[in-house]
Amino acid sequence: MVDESVEVQRFPPSNGRFTGYLGLAIGPAVLVLAGVYGGLGPALVVGVALFEVVVWLVMLRPAVWVEGDVLVLRHLVRTDRVPLAAVTSVVVRHVLAVFAGERRFVSPTIARSSRQLIGEARAARRGSRPSSWLSEVTAPAGKGVDQADFVEQRLRHLAEQARLARGVAARSPEQEALLGEAGRTTSWPWVGVVVVLAVALVVTLLV
């Protein structure tokens, strides 16, 4: 659970969730059609349930947010927590990549499309889009600011502020030592749900 006394900043996904919600809608539609045409059986029900869970985990559960001075990256069944002061670099390409010392943390929640990347490469060759580690975006995405740009620059700024607050020099042994505070947890209940449904599907198909 998130401590209510800690400031939380959530970053909406840049790639949209339409496909995920569409996937969730497909399951009930399949069951209704199967019921109408008399093809509703245990294997189909279990299979649809497994499909719905997988869609949720793959397309809708991943998220990125900041809790106080900690960056949280939630994946399918695991969650990474990275001290912002330990972050040395942030870049958004096809995925969000956060570098801390020798480690790399990624999330597909924030991403740039291939079209955006090609356009940026052309702009960079023309020298029309300089970038800086210390650049700060304060305007919220959606008001003339690209979502990927906003997240990239915002995380860079928050990492810089966290480092200064701790009095840690960039790329120093002290900063690298902060990686010891990074943690990874696994959501075993979700793992259990997937395993149970997968086993149940195999059993219903064999019976």
Side-chain angles (χ1 to χ4, degrees):
M1 295 181 62
V2 177
D3 187 344
E4 294 183 357
S5 65
V6 176
E7 182 179 357
V8 177
Q9 180 174 357
R10 299 184 182 275
F11 301 104
S14 60
N15 53 359
R17 297 291 176 97
F18 176 77
T19 303
Y21 289 118
L22 179 62
L24 290 182
I26 289 175
V30 169
L31 293 179
V32 170
L33 290 174
V36 170
Y37 292 100
L40 187 62
L44 180 61
V45 173
V46 175
V48 167
L50 179 60
F51 173 79
E52 296 283 284
V53 170
V54 171
V55 168
W56 166 260
L57 292 177
V58 173
M59 297 184 178
L60 299 176
R61 189 173 189 272
V64 176
W65 69 88
V66 170
E67 251 178 61
D69 61 353
V70 176
L71 173 63
V72 183
L73 305 170
R74 189 173 68 189
H75 306 279
L76 279 71
V77 294
R78 77 167 195 270
T79 301
D80 292 322
R81 300 178 63 87
V82 187
L84 281 167
V87 173
T88 55
S89 180
V90 179
V91 63
V92 178
R93 291 293 182 265
H94 289 297
V95 296
L96 166 66
V98 177
F99 298 87
E102 299 294 325
R103 298 181 65 180
R104 177 174 178 262
F105 303 86
V106 300
S107 173
T109 307
I110 309 297
R112 286 189 170 95
S113 66
S114 297
R115 183 178 180 181
Q116 285 178 302
L117 293 174
I118 292 173
E120 289 179 2
R122 290 174 178 170
R125 286 196 295 269
R126 294 193 301 266
S128 60
R129 188 183 180 187
S131 61
S132 169
W133 164 259
L134 294 178
S135 296
E136 176 186 358
V137 174
T138 56
K143 295 185 178 181
V145 179
D146 178 76
Q147 172 69 3
D149 283 341
F150 172 74
V151 174
E152 185 178 77
Q153 301 296 345
R154 184 60 177 164
L155 290 180
R156 289 177 177 179
H157 174 68
L158 292 174
E160 179 75 5
Q161 293 297 103
R163 183 180 64 78
L164 292 175
R166 292 207 183 194
V168 176
R171 304 185 185 280
S172 65
E174 291 78 14
Q175 185 186 33
E176 188 171 350
L178 291 175
L179 266 178
E181 299 178 17
R184 172 174 292 180
T185 57
T186 299
S187 180
W188 292 111
W190 280 116
V191 174
V193 169
V194 172
V195 171
V196 169
L197 288 175
V199 171
L201 179 60
V202 172
V203 170
T204 54
L205 288 173
L206 293 177
V207 171

